[in-house]
Amino acid sequence: MFLLTPFLVAVVCILMLWIFKNADGGTERRNGEPRAEARPWVDEDLMGSTDVHQEEAEADEWQESEEEVEHIPFSHTRYPEKEMVKRSQEFYELLNKRRSVRFISHEQVPMEVIDNVIKAAGTAPSGAHTEPWTFVVVKDPDVKHKIREIIEEEEEINYLKRMGPRWVTDLKKFRTNWIKEYLDTAPVLILIFKQVHGFAANGKKKIHYYNEISVSIACGILLAALQNAGLVTVTTTPLNCGPRLRVLLNRPTNEKLLMLLPVGYPSEDATVPNLTRKTLDQIMVTV
């Protein structure tokens, strides 16, 4: 028994060290920065795979791609250099007026305009031309209010628990919180879903390469098209709301919510933060 004492002492020491470390780690989690499980950007709908090898584990379920596509002559309009400069400057000045507007009028907007801006968004490039996007346009007041209820319920949790004090503090200058009145007042809500995969006519899955990047590009074009049409919006990413909104809007499980845009005219009393943008030399490097 006496010979085992050093061994038992060593075991007890190791056990106490393990308990101390775990207790210390718990204190750090309580007093320090939030751990990964509290990070709101770890959202179910933002975790859809964009891995180009995602089909390997279940190859029989995936549709083979087309081997041949006809190639046709490219039609291009080339402008004189002065016209190019003029058009690029005018386009920049137009987009430089774009602001995130949270005060949106009830006034209705022409649906033909909404159709056109979404068609413009649909011209975005995509991985292997899979076009992995779905734009859900919501006009029904009851559905809009249900969307607001879902988002405000989750956003209150986001602000109070998930986001952490640093993020909440960074947002104070924008005077934003979990109350989203514009979800009721905006005449149109556009919810943009990324399709993590598609389906072929025979029911097999169709790979959507780089689906989140592709849909993000489409969102950028949509924002430019809305600005060009004289409408306003604010880019919102309803964290942790995707599954409930997908069910509400009867969307399939291969679609994951990426962004929500309330769209309309600015209200008469609309205000925006007095912000400036980075200069060219701060965002461009020429090699």
Side-chain angles (χ1 to χ4, degrees):
M1 187 69 179
F2 179 79
L3 294 175
L4 294 177
T5 301
F7 173 75
L8 290 174
V9 170
V11 170
V12 170
C13 290
I14 292 172
L15 182 60
M16 291 179 64
L17 181 61
W18 180 83
I19 293 172
F20 176 78
K21 281 190 172 182
N22 278 273
D24 187 57
T27 303
E28 287 181 3
R29 285 192 290 273
R30 287 189 295 271
N31 299 331
E33 295 297 324
R35 292 288 182 121
E37 60 269 17
R39 292 166 58 187
W41 53 86
V42 183
D43 183 315
E44 178 182 330
D45 274 17
L46 300 182
M47 294 174 66
S49 175
T50 58
D51 187 348
V52 296
H53 301 297
Q54 61 183 305
E55 79 284 3
E56 291 181 356
E58 41 190 17
D60 292 341
E61 296 183 19
W62 296 88
Q63 174 65 35
E64 294 291 335
S65 61
E66 298 175 285
E67 293 185 2
E68 293 293 338
V69 174
E70 180 186 7
H71 285 220
I72 60 176
F74 174 60
S75 177
H76 174 64
T77 301
R78 179 164 178 167
Y79 302 104
E81 190 169 314
K82 287 185 178 180
E83 178 69 9
M84 291 171 63
V85 172
K86 178 175 179 291
R87 290 169 67 94
S88 63
Q89 178 65 25
E90 290 175 348
F91 188 66
Y92 158 69
E93 291 174 357
L94 171 68
L95 293 191
N96 195 39
K97 295 176 182 177
R98 187 205 60 76
R99 297 301 304 271
S100 294
V101 178
R102 295 174 172 83
F103 305 96
I104 300 178
S105 166
H106 287 90
E107 185 179 355
Q108 296 298 307
V109 300
M111 275 307 296
E112 186 176 1
V113 173
I114 301 301
D115 293 346
N116 287 336
V117 296
I118 290 179
K119 286 192 292 184
T123 68
S126 59
H129 193 59
T130 50
E131 302 175 295
W133 39 67
T134 300
F135 301 89
V136 179
V137 177
V138 179
K139 295 183 62 181
D140 184 283
D142 292 336
V143 178
K144 287 194 298 177
H145 191 67
K146 289 178 182 177
I147 290 173
R148 179 181 178 179
E149 289 179 333
I150 291 172
I151 289 177
E152 287 187 345
E153 179 182 332
E154 290 291 340
E155 280 287 79
E156 183 174 7
I157 300 172
N158 290 336
Y159 272 81
L160 297 180
K161 295 182 179 180
R162 299 186 183 117
M163 292 167 66
R166 180 178 299 171
W167 193 346
V168 172
T169 299
D170 286 344
L171 289 175
K172 281 185 178 179
K173 61 187 175 187
F174 302 109
R175 301 178 188 175
T176 182
N177 54 37
W178 60 83
I179 305 300
K180 311 293 183 184
E181 185 179 356
Y182 51 71
L183 295 173
D184 272 327
T185 62
V188 171
L189 303 181
I190 303 177
L191 291 88
I192 302 101
F193 289 81
K194 63 176 184 180
Q195 302 168 8
V196 295
H197 63 80
F199 291 98
N202 60 7
K204 286 191 173 184
K205 294 179 182 179
K206 182 179 179 182
I207 304 170
H208 282 174
Y209 302 96
Y210 301 109
N211 52 76
E212 185 164 321
I213 295 174
S214 300
V215 180
S216 298
I217 295 171
C219 289
I221 294 176
L222 178 56
L223 292 172
L226 289 168
Q227 176 70 10
N228 182 62
L231 297 175
V232 299
T233 187
V234 54
T235 54
T236 70
T237 52
L239 299 171
N240 305 291
C241 301
R244 294 171 66 187
L245 293 177
R246 184 169 63 246
V247 171
L248 174 66
L249 299 172
N250 197 31
R251 301 312 308 157
T253 57
N254 67 311
E255 294 186 2
K256 309 294 184 182
L257 182 65
L258 186 68
M259 188 176 295
L260 185 155
L261 301 177
V263 174
Y265 301 105
S267 62
E268 291 185 2
D269 58 351
T271 62
V272 294
N274 186 20
L275 304 175
T276 58
R277 292 188 166 98
K278 292 181 178 180
T279 60
L280 183 62
D281 62 347
Q282 292 176 301
I283 64 173
M284 185 179 78
V285 176
T286 302
V287 179

